[in-house]
Amino acid sequence: MLNVDLHCHSNVSDGVLSPMELAARAKANGVDVWALTDHDELGGIAQARAAANELGIRFVAGVEISITWAGKTIHIVGLGIDENNADLREGLASVRGGRELRGRDIAEQLNAVGIPGAFEGALKFADNPELLGRTHFARFLVEKGVRNTVSEVFQSFLVEGKPGFVPHRWATLEQSVRWIRSAGGRAVIAHPGRYAFDDLQFNVFVEQFRALGGEGIEVITGSHYPAQYDQYAAYAQKTGLLASRGSDFHGPTESRFDLGSLPHLPPNVKPVWHDWAL
Ligand code: AMP
Ligand code: MN
Ligand code: MN
Ligand code: MN
């Protein structure tokens, strides 16, 4: 069975490793088909593809787009996109645009609870300053000794109801799916188990996603508990959505699951790569 990993982040967004280092790690871990899916950014794709080609692993150009739907932040992964497509590139540039101001607001809130210097501190962790995100703030808070790990930071900071949370308007669902499709890609709902949806709301979301041309859903992801693997496999089977698998790897000391290390997709779903020439 092919080892397919279609979700991870480089230092072009909020991952720790460069695209080249990720390719080498994917190879070492036995990944056969690998996608780089940086947040709202395509800057790592060319390097990642070149490294994957060199190493003899199959590469899929990807992206993870931040959207706002019904007041919630949702992530839509695009797979098999043309990274030179103008609609997609311009769309992503507009999504990235708000991050600096948001970062300043996050820092102001942290300052108000006695943690000064967070904007500059987080920026030091952002190799791509256009992509300043909450993960970089979390790394800064770990550096300052406020918490021991990034995931502990996210229990007390940067999330709704805690210091450092700034509501933000990302792209719309319609825009994200349109950009991905106009770049020739396939749109996939990222880590569905992470959103605080009730069943009714989730069904409405999925209906809209499909009506716009969205096709897939992550079933096996580093963001799911094992019980959610079966839950979302059954959901994919019931609805006919294509199933995806991806570690959502961000870095060797931060991520619970390494590239290529998750269980395979269960047999009752149709893989998002079922019709790719692999
Ligand atoms: P942003 O796009 O700046 O809002 O940052 C979102 C990123 O923060 C996600 O892609 C994750 O990398 C990280 N993140 C969010 N929640 C958590 C969490 N509970 N634990 C660890 N990382 C998280
Ligand atoms: Mn991330
Ligand atoms: Mn995500
Ligand atoms: Mn991700």
Side-chain angles (χ1 to χ4, degrees):
M1 201 180 268
L2 286 175
N3 188 336
V4 182
D5 190 323
L6 300 178
H7 190 148
C8 73
H9 298 273
S10 78
N11 63 348
V12 166
S13 64
D14 62 355
V16 172
L17 303 180
S18 69
M20 269 150 64
E21 289 167 327
L22 282 175
R25 195 174 183 97
K27 174 73 178 178
N29 289 2
V31 173
D32 301 297
V33 183
W34 170 55
L36 176 65
T37 56
D38 275 312
H39 297 285
D40 308 320
E41 171 66 271
L42 302 167
I45 297 293
Q47 264 190 42
R49 179 187 291 114
N53 287 346
E54 186 90 3
L55 294 163
I57 59 179
R58 275 154 284 187
F59 180 71
V60 178
V63 65
E64 181 176 20
I65 305 181
S66 314
I67 70 162
T68 303
W69 189 85
K72 289 179 199 301
T73 296
I74 310 283
H75 288 168
I76 302 293
V77 165
L79 296 173
I81 45 101
D82 167 9
E83 74 273 21
N84 298 311
N85 178 271
D87 287 344
L88 178 62
R89 295 182 70 86
E90 286 161 22
L92 295 179
S94 73
V95 181
R96 288 195 297 271
R99 281 183 176 269
E100 182 181 337
L101 277 178
R102 170 190 183 239
R104 298 211 178 266
D105 290 347
I106 290 174
E108 205 168 287
Q109 284 194 25
L110 293 175
N111 188 49
V113 296
I115 306 166
F119 184 80
E120 294 72 20
L123 206 51
K124 267 196 315 170
F125 287 96
D127 290 326
N128 174 3
E130 270 191 54
L131 234 291
L132 180 64
R134 285 183 291 158
T135 310
H136 306 115
F137 283 92
R139 289 179 188 143
F140 165 74
L141 293 176
V142 171
E143 180 191 56
K144 286 283 151 203
V146 174
R147 287 293 181 276
N148 287 319
T149 65
V150 163
S151 67
E152 281 172 36
V153 170
F154 276 101
Q155 287 165 27
S156 320
F157 297 92
L158 309 175
V159 292
E160 204 164 344
K162 311 282 185 190
F165 179 73
V166 175
H168 194 73
R169 179 70 66 92
W170 302 106
T172 65
L173 175 63
E174 189 272 329
Q175 287 172 319
S176 67
V177 176
R178 175 159 48 82
W179 297 335
I180 290 166
R181 283 164 58 85
S182 74
R186 188 164 262 174
V188 175
I189 300 165
H191 40 65
R194 251 175 54 182
Y195 314 121
F197 273 135
D198 61 36
D199 287 355
L200 181 67
Q201 205 177 24
F202 187 63
N203 287 333
V204 172
F205 174 74
V206 169
E207 246 169 64
Q208 291 190 10
F209 172 73
R210 300 192 71 165
L212 293 164
E215 296 172 84
I217 188 165
E218 287 185 344
V219 168
I220 306 289
T221 143
S223 299
H224 281 172
Y225 300 105
Q228 293 174 315
Y229 300 160
D230 292 339
Q231 180 190 336
Y232 287 100
Y235 191 83
Q237 186 183 27
K238 187 180 80 183
T239 56
L241 283 167
L242 302 172
S244 192
R245 171 182 188 257
S247 56
D248 207 354
F249 180 75
H250 281 70
T253 62
E254 278 180 23
S255 296
R256 280 190 302 148
F257 294 98
D258 207 330
L259 286 166
S261 73
L262 288 169
H264 285 284
L265 283 182
N268 60 330
V269 296
K270 193 186 251 194
V272 69
W273 57 89
H274 74 100
D275 57 353
W276 295 352
L278 294 173

